[in-house]
Amino acid sequence: MDAPPVKLSELLRHPDDLDKIGALKLEFTRKKAAVDSQLRGGLRDQLETTQSGMNGLTDGQKTVQAIRDEMMKIDTLCSESQNMIKDFASINIVSQAHRNFGAVETMVDNLQTFNDRLNRVEAMLREDEEDKENMPNLLRVHYELTQLRNIRDDAMEQIQRAEDLSLQSTLEDYFSRLDEAVEWFDEHIGIIAVSMINLLIAGNDGLVVRLAVIVEAEEKSDQRVEALQDALKDHKEMATRFQSITDGAKKVRGYKEKFLQAIKASCEEQLATVREEFLEDPSKLDKSMKWFFNDLNAVKQGMVRLMPKKWKILKTYSDIYHQLMHDFLIRMIDDPETTSANTLEIINWPEKYYKKMRKLGFLESDLKPHVLDNREQELVKDFRQLIIKFLDEWIERIFAQEKRDFAERNVEGSNLDTDEYGYFRTRNLVDMWRMLREQVDVAGNSQRTDVAEGVIDAMFLRLRSRQQSFQKMLEEEAAKYEADKESELEGFQALQDWLVATANDQMACIDDNEEEGRLAYLSSFKQKFEPFVTPQYLEHAESEINQLRDGYVDFSTWCINKFARLVISVDFRSVITTFFTPKWYETMAMKQMIVTFEEYVGDYQQVLHHSLVDIFVEIFADELLVRYLMCVRNKGAKFRRTDPFQDKIFNDIATAFEYFRGLPNQDVSNTITQTWRVTEYFLQLITTEKERLPDVFQEFKARYWDLQITWVEAVLRSRDDFERSMLNAVKARAAQMDVVRGPETIMAKVK
């Protein structure tokens, strides 16, 4: 096999590779020459084959023309030979009269004995009717009926040439009983034909052989009739010369086709029964189809030796049965009564079907058309989409209910539940995960990894989408309060409860309780689908699980962040604007905010997931610090040398530190107090002499690389001794610094 083509960009990746251009050019030239040589050789072979075919056609045409010429010579010799015999015309007339007399004599005798012979046939048919398992007279009945039918056909042909309609009607009435006998005989043939398999199983080979003898004889008769009809059609001018050699059947009787139709009818009847059983219980398809393969095995083991070899009876049966199996499955796919369970069984059937057929000696490549028209992938996709459709409908209903609960949250309990630990929880998360597990079972029951993997991929996508939709719902509602668009605070506390409950939900999805041996929803979900997918897919699924896990962590953090911002935006709205203004010196704003926050922590720490309580405190502390530093932009904010602003800032920070240092978790306490150390640089910016400001800024920037110059400018402008030169000096120092980027610091949030 030829190697895949190599892209030039892969060969010349580095400047040094340019030295290889000469060698590459020689190599590609050599390969091109080899390909050109192969193409020339292939073209030459193709031309030789085409020329050979054309020569064969020419030779065939010459042979046909030669045969035509020889036939014309024979016809000419025949005509000329008549002139070579003296008195040929008289001899021919006498001979013709003698033949006609013999034919009339035979016809009269046949007509006189016709009814007696027909009576004997009917008697034999009655005997066979009473002994359908053996039908001892079958061959004799066939022989006699064939003779009688030939007599009738000869008589009717002669009367039609006579063009006497009255006599034709009389003969038709005379022969009417024959049609009834033929119909009776055909019924017996049909009974045997549809019961072939049962006769083989019962060991009644004799009756099968007799049927084969009859059908073979009729097949030869039909071939002779068709040959004569074709000859008369192609040589109408010679038709009269053939009339003397057309004894026997005059019409095609089609017993071979009737025999094949009987095989087909028998199979169709059994497939109709299979359909009813299959619709009632899809799992029984394999069991319901046992007869199909048993029939073919019976033909292979018992019928092949009883039938003419030229029939290739095993292939005949397999072709008919396979076509009917194909038609049955395709009809079931399009049947409005077909359920998803039926479709699933049909999808899995071809593999079993071809495996069983191989055991019987039939190769898949010999069975045409494909039993499902190669529609497995289409059906798999449709089945997978059906599961996903139900999945989407469930998720839409659940989210619609959640939106209603959220919109109607201003009731006692905020339309929320609590779990066994007393944590706030939304009401529909359990239902959603239960539904996902049920749909995993449905996909797993398909016993197809492609179905299961496609459904699970869709679930990953829907879970991420659900996070986004839920976050958007909370964000839109919170924005109304943050922007002060709600004149009343009705529903505000319930919104806070929902933020806490949603954060708890995210933790319930990922917080495995190893001590109690209880898995979180996400881990349980993964454990559920693992048996239904391939090891290769598990690697992909692990990545998806990790993304979801990170998403749940991020969403829970977002909820806590939003909670803290709402507290500052709504509860602290009136006091946050007073910082660093003249009114600031007259109030205890920081103390007031710390007390309020302490109350929030006290109220929610029992209903907030234990792992989120410390995060809640840290987030609030960070948000409070950010808002505090950004108060330099408050209207009227100004640090005057004559005002005790340093003492006031020390007091604010001491108030915050007093609370933070009293937290039960000392690690959290140390983290928060360390973060608040940034206020030292803030104080230096507003107290340092003008000349040292660039140095202070440089030290500040080196410690907090994401310090924003716009905020520094706002701080400098809040000094009562601000001059433009101070800002220019700081900006000049900023331009000289080579800042090393690192992890994000608290100053990234200070705008």
Side-chain angles (χ1 to χ4, degrees):
M1 184 175 179
D2 293 339
V6 180
K7 295 181 179 179
L8 192 61
S9 59
E10 296 177 357
L11 295 173
L12 303 175
R13 291 184 176 180
H14 307 289
D16 295 342
D17 293 336
L18 294 175
D19 298 335
K20 303 177 183 177
I21 290 179
L24 290 173
K25 184 177 179 181
L26 290 174
E27 182 181 356
F28 287 143
T29 302
R30 179 181 56 78
K31 289 182 177 179
K32 180 179 180 300
V35 172
D36 290 343
S37 176
Q38 291 177 354
L39 288 174
R40 284 194 296 271
L43 180 60
R44 183 171 54 253
D45 293 342
Q46 189 64 35
L47 288 173
E48 291 175 355
T49 302
T50 303
Q51 187 62 49
S52 176
M54 293 176 66
N55 293 338
L57 288 174
T58 303
D59 293 342
Q61 289 176 341
K62 291 179 180 178
T63 303
V64 170
Q65 185 62 42
I67 293 172
R68 184 181 290 112
D69 294 342
E70 290 298 322
M71 292 294 291
M72 291 179 67
K73 289 180 182 179
I74 292 171
D75 186 60
T76 302
L77 288 173
C78 182
S79 299
E80 292 175 350
S81 65
Q82 296 178 11
N83 299 324
M84 298 171 64
I85 302 174
K86 186 179 180 181
D87 298 328
F88 178 80
S90 300
I91 295 172
N92 188 42
I93 291 172
V94 172
S95 176
Q96 184 68 40
H98 184 269
R99 285 197 303 271
N100 289 344
F101 180 79
V104 170
E105 187 178 29
T106 302
M107 178 61 70
V108 170
D109 182 59
N110 286 337
L111 290 174
Q112 288 175 343
T113 60
F114 186 86
N115 283 324
D116 292 338
R117 294 171 69 177
L118 186 56
N119 289 335
R120 288 195 294 272
V121 168
E122 289 176 342
M124 288 188 289
L125 285 170
R126 276 191 291 272
E127 290 180 16
D128 286 352
E129 185 75 21
E130 295 173 358
D131 187 8
K132 290 183 178 179
E133 293 183 359
N134 296 304
M135 296 192 187
N137 302 311
L138 191 67
L139 288 178
R140 280 176 292 176
V141 169
H142 174 254
Y143 175 78
E144 286 297 329
L145 278 179
T146 300
Q147 298 300 313
L148 294 176
R149 292 169 85 174
N150 290 343
I151 292 170
R152 180 194 56 188
D153 291 348
D154 287 341
M156 294 304 298
E157 184 182 40
Q158 292 181 31
I159 204 66
Q160 286 172 358
R161 287 203 299 267
E163 298 181 354
D164 189 338
L165 297 179
S166 61
L167 291 177
Q168 182 176 340
S169 177
T170 301
L171 279 177
E172 288 176 351
D173 293 339
Y174 187 75
F175 293 131
S176 61
R177 282 180 57 211
L178 178 62
D179 291 332
E180 297 175 1
V182 170
E183 185 177 344
W184 195 356
F185 173 74
D186 288 350
E187 288 180 5
H188 287 183
I189 293 295
I191 291 171
I192 299 171
V194 298
S195 306
M196 295 274 280
I197 303 300
N198 293 332
L199 292 173
L200 286 172
I201 295 173
N204 196 348
D205 293 354
L207 189 54
V208 175
V209 171
R210 277 177 278 155
L211 175 67
V213 170
I214 291 170
V215 174
E216 185 181 23
E218 289 292 338
E219 182 183 27
K220 291 178 180 178
S221 174
D222 288 347
Q223 290 171 349
R224 174 178 172 276
V225 171
E226 288 173 347
L228 288 173
Q229 289 175 346
D230 291 342
L232 291 171
K233 188 191 323 178
D234 294 337
H235 305 280
K236 293 181 180 179
E237 73 282 355
M238 302 174 65
T240 55
R241 302 183 189 181
F242 284 94
Q243 289 178 358
S244 62
I245 58 171
T246 56
D247 294 335
K250 302 295 188 296
K251 297 179 181 178
V252 174
R253 293 169 183 166
Y255 275 82
K256 179 66 178 294
E257 287 68 28
K258 293 176 182 177
F259 171 68
L260 298 178
Q261 286 297 323
I263 296 173
K264 182 178 179 181
S266 174
C267 183
E268 286 177 335
E269 182 180 354
Q270 295 185 82
L271 285 173
T273 303
V274 171
R275 178 184 180 277
E276 300 302 321
E277 295 174 355
F278 184 45
L279 288 175
E280 184 177 343
D281 186 355
S283 65
K284 291 184 178 179
L285 179 61
D286 203 354
K287 182 178 180 181
S288 300
M289 283 292 185
K290 277 187 176 180
W291 62 268
F292 184 95
F293 305 101
N294 290 339
D295 283 4
L296 292 176
N297 188 53
V299 173
K300 181 180 180 180
Q301 300 298 329
M303 191 181 294
V304 172
R305 58 187 174 82
L306 305 179
M307 295 287 171
K309 289 184 178 179
K310 64 180 180 180
W311 284 4
K312 298 180 180 178
I313 194 64
L314 181 58
K315 185 177 187 309
T316 299
Y317 257 89
S318 67
D319 288 346
I320 293 173
Y321 271 46
H322 175 72
Q323 184 64 51
L324 291 175
M325 175 64 76
H326 165 272
D327 296 344
F328 168 76
L329 294 175
I330 296 301
R331 281 197 303 271
M332 289 304 302
I333 291 171
D334 300 328
D335 194 326
E337 296 184 44
T338 299
T339 65
S340 58
N342 296 127
T343 301
L344 179 59
E345 287 296 325
I346 291 173
I347 291 171
N348 293 327
W349 178 245
E351 183 179 355
K352 301 175 184 177
Y353 172 75
Y354 283 116
K355 182 179 180 181
K356 292 176 184 289
M357 293 298 278
R358 279 195 297 273
K359 288 182 179 179
L360 292 172
F362 303 107
L363 298 178
E364 182 175 346
S365 57
D366 296 333
L367 297 170
K368 303 293 183 182
H370 185 273
V371 73
L372 268 186
D373 289 338
N374 292 306
R375 291 174 59 183
E376 290 99 317
Q377 291 305 315
E378 172 193 340
L379 295 173
V380 166
K381 181 180 178 181
D382 291 344
F383 183 72
R384 188 168 59 226
Q385 287 303 120
L386 182 62
I387 299 176
I388 293 172
K389 177 185 174 185
F390 289 136
L391 174 69
D392 287 340
E393 290 174 355
W394 266 99
I395 290 178
E396 286 174 7
R397 282 198 295 269
I398 289 174
F399 188 58
Q401 182 60 49
E402 286 171 329
K403 287 196 291 186
R404 284 193 296 272
D405 290 345
F406 183 59
E408 300 167 2
R409 68 185 180 277
N410 197 29
V411 295
E412 185 176 352
S414 302
N415 266 342
L416 296 171
D417 289 335
T418 55
D419 60 17
E420 64 270 32
Y421 303 108
Y423 302 151
F424 280 165
R425 297 285 295 279
T426 61
R427 292 177 173 177
N428 297 286
L429 186 68
V430 175
D431 292 338
M432 187 200 70
W433 283 105
R434 182 174 64 248
M435 178 273 297
L436 291 177
R437 291 171 62 86
E438 290 172 355
Q439 296 305 312
V440 168
D441 281 332
V442 172
N445 289 338
S446 70
Q447 299 179 351
R448 295 189 65 96
T449 56
D450 48 359
V451 171
E453 291 170 2
V455 170
I456 293 165
D457 273 339
M459 290 180 175
F460 287 142
L461 184 62
R462 270 65 177 179
L463 286 170
R464 286 195 295 271
S465 177
R466 172 182 163 80
Q467 290 177 351
Q468 296 166 3
S469 299
F470 217 96
Q471 182 172 335
K472 181 180 178 183
M473 178 182 73
L474 296 173
E475 175 68 54
E476 289 175 350
E477 190 68 14
K480 299 176 184 177
Y481 295 96
E482 289 181 300
D484 197 17
K485 291 182 179 179
E486 294 289 338
S487 57
E488 298 182 4
L489 295 181
E490 184 178 6
F492 176 68
Q493 182 179 345
L495 171 60
Q496 293 175 311
D497 293 346
W498 269 76
L499 287 168
V500 169
T502 304
N504 290 339
D505 283 351
Q506 311 315 302
M507 299 310 298
C509 292
I510 59 175
D511 187 28
D512 296 324
N513 192 331
E514 297 180 359
E515 295 180 359
E516 298 181 8
R518 188 165 64 179
L519 297 177
Y521 291 123
L522 188 59
S523 298
S524 177
F525 173 64
K526 178 187 174 186
Q527 189 180 66
K528 183 71 175 176
F529 71 69
E530 280 179 340
F532 304 133
V533 299
T534 61
Q536 294 80 6
Y537 180 80
L538 277 178
E539 297 179 7
H540 162 72
E542 189 65 38
S543 173
E544 292 284 351
I545 291 290
N546 290 336
Q547 288 184 38
L548 279 173
R549 197 182 305 277
D550 293 342
Y552 288 129
V553 171
D554 292 343
F555 191 20
S556 65
T557 305
W558 180 90
C559 290
I560 301 303
N561 260 309
K562 185 57 64 175
F563 188 105
R565 290 179 183 177
L566 282 171
V567 170
I568 293 173
S569 297
V570 178
D571 291 73
F572 301 162
R573 180 177 292 150
S574 59
V575 298
I576 202 75
T577 57
T578 65
F579 280 94
F580 311 144
T581 67
K583 191 176 180 180
W584 171 49
Y585 298 97
E586 304 171 3
T587 62
M588 299 292 291
M590 180 61 77
K591 181 65 175 178
Q592 181 181 346
M593 289 193 295
I594 292 296
V595 169
T596 302
F597 174 66
E598 189 175 6
E599 292 174 353
Y600 269 114
V601 174
D603 291 340
Y604 280 97
Q605 66 181 354
Q606 299 302 320
V607 296
L608 181 63
H609 192 278
H610 64 275
S611 64
L612 294 175
V613 174
D614 290 339
I615 295 174
F616 177 55
V617 174
E618 284 189 52
I619 288 175
F620 180 83
D622 288 351
E623 189 65 25
L624 181 60
L625 174 59
V626 169
R627 294 298 185 94
Y628 183 74
L629 294 176
M630 289 174 61
C631 283
V632 295
R633 298 184 181 276
N634 282 346
K635 185 177 181 180
K638 186 66 70 174
F639 298 105
R640 295 180 176 83
R641 308 294 112 182
T642 57
D643 293 335
F645 63 86
Q646 293 189 57
D647 295 339
K648 186 62 176 173
I649 291 175
F650 283 139
N651 182 264
D652 287 345
I653 296 172
T655 301
F657 274 34
E658 180 182 358
Y659 171 71
F660 295 139
R661 285 171 175 158
L663 293 173
N665 189 329
Q666 286 302 303
D667 290 336
V668 174
S669 174
N670 293 335
T671 300
I672 293 173
T673 53
Q674 191 62 37
T675 302
W676 275 67
R677 296 288 180 193
V678 73
T679 54
E680 296 175 2
Y681 290 104
F682 166 59
L683 191 58
Q684 290 182 39
L685 285 177
I686 56 179
T687 60
T688 302
E689 298 83 359
K690 300 176 184 180
E691 295 75 12
R692 291 195 62 254
L693 276 175
D695 296 332
V696 172
F697 169 78
Q698 182 173 354
E699 185 179 349
F700 198 174
K701 184 71 172 178
R703 182 77 177 272
Y704 298 89
W705 66 272
D706 44 10
L707 172 67
Q708 301 186 40
I709 194 66
T710 54
W711 177 79
V712 174
E713 181 179 350
V715 173
L716 296 179
R717 288 183 181 278
S718 67
R719 292 174 53 138
D720 62 347
D721 59 348
F722 172 74
E723 294 177 358
R724 188 71 186 177
S725 59
M726 297 163 56
L727 180 59
N728 291 337
V730 169
K731 288 183 176 181
R733 183 63 60 88
Q736 296 171 7
M737 291 182 65
D738 185 12
V739 178
V740 179
R741 302 174 69 88
E744 183 180 286
T745 72
I746 190 67
M747 293 310 298
K749 301 176 183 179
V750 181
K751 309 296 183 183

